[in-house]
mmCIF file of all heavy atoms in Angstrom:
data_model
loop_
_atom_site.group_PDB
_atom_site.id
_atom_site.type_symbol
_atom_site.label_atom_id
_atom_site.label_comp_id
_atom_site.label_asym_id
_atom_site.label_seq_id
_atom_site.Cartn_x
_atom_site.Cartn_y
_atom_site.Cartn_z
ATOM 1 N N ALA H 1 15.782 -30.830 -8.164
ATOM 2 C CA ALA H 1 16.450 -29.533 -8.000
ATOM 3 C C ALA H 1 16.127 -28.637 -9.194
ATOM 4 O O ALA H 1 15.874 -29.108 -10.292
ATOM 5 C CB ALA H 1 17.956 -29.723 -7.882
ATOM 6 N N GLN H 2 16.131 -27.357 -8.926
ATOM 7 C CA GLN H 2 15.843 -26.374 -9.973
ATOM 8 C C GLN H 2 17.104 -25.628 -10.339
ATOM 9 O O GLN H 2 17.961 -25.387 -9.490
ATOM 10 C CB GLN H 2 14.796 -25.387 -9.485
ATOM 11 C CG GLN H 2 13.467 -26.027 -9.113
ATOM 12 C CD GLN H 2 12.498 -25.026 -8.560
ATOM 13 O OE1 GLN H 2 12.886 -24.118 -7.856
ATOM 14 N NE2 GLN H 2 11.242 -25.190 -8.892
ATOM 15 N N LYS H 3 17.175 -25.260 -11.600
ATOM 16 C CA LYS H 3 18.344 -24.508 -12.056
ATOM 17 C C LYS H 3 17.950 -23.555 -13.177
ATOM 18 O O LYS H 3 17.155 -23.898 -14.047
ATOM 19 C CB LYS H 3 19.429 -25.461 -12.554
ATOM 20 C CG LYS H 3 20.749 -24.769 -12.894
ATOM 21 C CD LYS H 3 21.798 -25.775 -13.312
ATOM 22 C CE LYS H 3 23.112 -25.082 -13.634
ATOM 23 N NZ LYS H 3 24.155 -26.046 -14.063
ATOM 24 N N ILE H 4 18.515 -22.356 -13.109
ATOM 25 C CA ILE H 4 18.296 -21.346 -14.140
ATOM 26 C C ILE H 4 19.650 -20.991 -14.734
ATOM 27 O O ILE H 4 20.602 -20.724 -13.988
ATOM 28 C CB ILE H 4 17.665 -20.080 -13.543
ATOM 29 C CG1 ILE H 4 16.237 -20.358 -13.102
ATOM 30 C CG2 ILE H 4 17.705 -18.944 -14.541
ATOM 31 C CD1 ILE H 4 15.213 -20.310 -14.194
ATOM 32 N N TYR H 25 16.190 -23.357 -18.320
ATOM 33 C CA TYR H 25 15.901 -23.782 -16.961
ATOM 34 C C TYR H 25 15.815 -25.298 -16.894
ATOM 35 O O TYR H 25 15.694 -25.982 -17.917
ATOM 36 C CB TYR H 25 14.599 -23.140 -16.476
ATOM 37 C CG TYR H 25 13.388 -23.550 -17.288
ATOM 38 C CD1 TYR H 25 12.630 -24.659 -16.936
ATOM 39 C CD2 TYR H 25 13.022 -22.832 -18.429
ATOM 40 C CE1 TYR H 25 11.526 -25.043 -17.690
ATOM 41 C CE2 TYR H 25 11.930 -23.207 -19.191
ATOM 42 C CZ TYR H 25 11.190 -24.314 -18.820
ATOM 43 O OH TYR H 25 10.111 -24.693 -19.573
ATOM 44 N N ASP H 26 15.870 -25.782 -15.686
ATOM 45 C CA ASP H 26 15.704 -27.202 -15.449
ATOM 46 C C ASP H 26 14.952 -27.385 -14.142
ATOM 47 O O ASP H 26 15.262 -26.730 -13.135
ATOM 48 C CB ASP H 26 17.062 -27.907 -15.393
ATOM 49 C CG ASP H 26 16.924 -29.423 -15.474
ATOM 50 O OD1 ASP H 26 15.862 -29.905 -15.928
ATOM 51 O OD2 ASP H 26 17.860 -30.131 -15.083
ATOM 52 N N THR H 27 13.967 -28.238 -14.172
ATOM 53 C CA THR H 27 13.189 -28.514 -12.975
ATOM 54 C C THR H 27 12.504 -29.850 -13.114
ATOM 55 O O THR H 27 12.214 -30.292 -14.234
ATOM 56 C CB THR H 27 12.139 -27.410 -12.729
ATOM 57 O OG1 THR H 27 11.396 -27.712 -11.544
ATOM 58 C CG2 THR H 27 11.160 -27.301 -13.897
ATOM 59 N N TYR H 32 5.339 -24.995 -12.777
ATOM 60 C CA TYR H 32 6.318 -24.005 -12.342
ATOM 61 C C TYR H 32 6.008 -22.664 -13.000
ATOM 62 O O TYR H 32 5.148 -22.568 -13.884
ATOM 63 C CB TYR H 32 7.747 -24.448 -12.687
ATOM 64 C CG TYR H 32 7.924 -24.882 -14.126
ATOM 65 C CD1 TYR H 32 8.286 -23.971 -15.112
ATOM 66 C CD2 TYR H 32 7.714 -26.211 -14.492
ATOM 67 C CE1 TYR H 32 8.422 -24.375 -16.429
ATOM 68 C CE2 TYR H 32 7.850 -26.626 -15.820
ATOM 69 C CZ TYR H 32 8.202 -25.702 -16.776
ATOM 70 O OH TYR H 32 8.340 -26.100 -18.083
ATOM 71 N N GLY H 33 6.711 -21.652 -12.538
ATOM 72 C CA GLY H 33 6.529 -20.320 -13.109
ATOM 73 C C GLY H 33 7.873 -19.695 -13.412
ATOM 74 O O GLY H 33 8.854 -19.946 -12.726
ATOM 75 N N LEU H 34 7.914 -18.885 -14.421
ATOM 76 C CA LEU H 34 9.153 -18.240 -14.857
ATOM 77 C C LEU H 34 8.977 -16.723 -14.833
ATOM 78 O O LEU H 34 7.941 -16.209 -15.246
ATOM 79 C CB LEU H 34 9.524 -18.706 -16.258
ATOM 80 C CG LEU H 34 9.827 -20.212 -16.339
ATOM 81 C CD1 LEU H 34 9.590 -20.740 -17.726
ATOM 82 C CD2 LEU H 34 11.249 -20.485 -15.881
ATOM 83 N N PHE H 35 9.988 -16.046 -14.345
ATOM 84 C CA PHE H 35 9.948 -14.595 -14.194
ATOM 85 C C PHE H 35 11.144 -13.961 -14.893
ATOM 86 O O PHE H 35 12.202 -14.575 -15.055
ATOM 87 C CB PHE H 35 10.081 -14.193 -12.712
ATOM 88 C CG PHE H 35 9.071 -14.758 -11.773
ATOM 89 C CD1 PHE H 35 9.144 -16.076 -11.353
ATOM 90 C CD2 PHE H 35 8.061 -13.961 -11.267
ATOM 91 C CE1 PHE H 35 8.233 -16.609 -10.460
ATOM 92 C CE2 PHE H 35 7.140 -14.476 -10.361
ATOM 93 C CZ PHE H 35 7.228 -15.796 -9.965
ATOM 94 N N CYS H 92 16.611 -13.834 -14.978
ATOM 95 C CA CYS H 92 15.575 -14.826 -15.187
ATOM 96 C C CYS H 92 15.425 -15.603 -13.885
ATOM 97 O O CYS H 92 16.424 -15.841 -13.180
ATOM 98 C CB CYS H 92 15.993 -15.759 -16.332
ATOM 99 S SG CYS H 92 14.800 -17.042 -16.758
ATOM 100 N N ALA H 93 14.216 -15.951 -13.541
ATOM 101 C CA ALA H 93 13.990 -16.623 -12.262
ATOM 102 C C ALA H 93 12.861 -17.638 -12.391
ATOM 103 O O ALA H 93 12.052 -17.568 -13.322
ATOM 104 C CB ALA H 93 13.658 -15.594 -11.178
ATOM 105 N N MET H 94 12.819 -18.553 -11.442
ATOM 106 C CA MET H 94 11.826 -19.624 -11.502
ATOM 107 C C MET H 94 11.332 -19.958 -10.105
ATOM 108 O O MET H 94 12.085 -19.920 -9.134
ATOM 109 C CB MET H 94 12.442 -20.876 -12.138
ATOM 110 C CG MET H 94 11.518 -22.078 -12.195
ATOM 111 S SD MET H 94 12.190 -23.406 -13.208
ATOM 112 C CE MET H 94 13.641 -23.813 -12.281
ATOM 113 N N ARG H 95 10.054 -20.314 -10.054
ATOM 114 C CA ARG H 95 9.495 -20.870 -8.831
ATOM 115 C C ARG H 95 8.872 -22.208 -9.182
ATOM 116 O O ARG H 95 8.323 -22.402 -10.257
ATOM 117 C CB ARG H 95 8.442 -19.942 -8.215
ATOM 118 C CG ARG H 95 7.214 -19.753 -9.071
ATOM 119 C CD ARG H 95 6.034 -19.239 -8.279
ATOM 120 N NE ARG H 95 5.482 -20.266 -7.411
ATOM 121 C CZ ARG H 95 4.404 -20.102 -6.665
ATOM 122 N NH1 ARG H 95 3.771 -18.933 -6.667
ATOM 123 N NH2 ARG H 95 3.955 -21.070 -5.897
ATOM 124 N N GLY H 96 9.008 -23.137 -8.277
ATOM 125 C CA GLY H 96 8.307 -24.397 -8.422
ATOM 126 C C GLY H 96 7.125 -24.407 -7.491
ATOM 127 O O GLY H 96 6.970 -23.496 -6.668
ATOM 128 N N LYS H 102 9.493 -20.650 -3.233
ATOM 129 C CA LYS H 102 10.677 -19.793 -3.310
ATOM 130 C C LYS H 102 11.094 -19.609 -4.757
ATOM 131 O O LYS H 102 10.862 -20.459 -5.613
ATOM 132 C CB LYS H 102 11.829 -20.381 -2.501
ATOM 133 C CG LYS H 102 12.267 -21.763 -2.930
ATOM 134 C CD LYS H 102 13.304 -22.315 -1.958
ATOM 135 C CE LYS H 102 13.732 -23.721 -2.342
ATOM 136 N NZ LYS H 102 14.685 -24.291 -1.353
ATOM 137 N N ILE H 103 11.717 -18.465 -5.020
ATOM 138 C CA ILE H 103 12.198 -18.126 -6.356
ATOM 139 C C ILE H 103 13.715 -18.256 -6.366
ATOM 140 O O ILE H 103 14.393 -17.771 -5.467
ATOM 141 C CB ILE H 103 11.816 -16.691 -6.734
ATOM 142 C CG1 ILE H 103 10.305 -16.515 -6.819
ATOM 143 C CG2 ILE H 103 12.434 -16.308 -8.072
ATOM 144 C CD1 ILE H 103 9.883 -15.097 -7.148
ATOM 145 N N ILE H 104 14.230 -18.901 -7.391
ATOM 146 C CA ILE H 104 15.676 -18.938 -7.587
ATOM 147 C C ILE H 104 16.001 -18.156 -8.857
ATOM 148 O O ILE H 104 15.203 -18.089 -9.784
ATOM 149 C CB ILE H 104 16.230 -20.369 -7.675
ATOM 150 C CG1 ILE H 104 15.638 -21.109 -8.872
ATOM 151 C CG2 ILE H 104 15.969 -21.121 -6.382
ATOM 152 C CD1 ILE H 104 16.387 -22.368 -9.216
ATOM 153 N N PHE H 105 17.188 -17.580 -8.866
ATOM 154 C CA PHE H 105 17.572 -16.679 -9.932
ATOM 155 C C PHE H 105 18.728 -17.230 -10.761
ATOM 156 O O PHE H 105 19.575 -17.972 -10.272
ATOM 157 C CB PHE H 105 18.001 -15.329 -9.338
ATOM 158 C CG PHE H 105 16.868 -14.525 -8.787
ATOM 159 C CD1 PHE H 105 16.387 -14.760 -7.513
ATOM 160 C CD2 PHE H 105 16.268 -13.549 -9.556
ATOM 161 C CE1 PHE H 105 15.324 -14.029 -6.999
ATOM 162 C CE2 PHE H 105 15.214 -12.801 -9.063
ATOM 163 C CZ PHE H 105 14.739 -13.052 -7.792
#
Side-chain angles (χ1 to χ4, degrees):
Chain H
Q2 300 177 323
K3 187 177 181 181
I4 291 278
Y25 62 90
D26 193 19
T27 180
Y32 50 90
L34 297 155
F35 303 76
C92 181
M94 177 170 64
R95 65 161 288 184
K102 59 187 178 183
I103 296 178
I104 62 165
F105 289 83

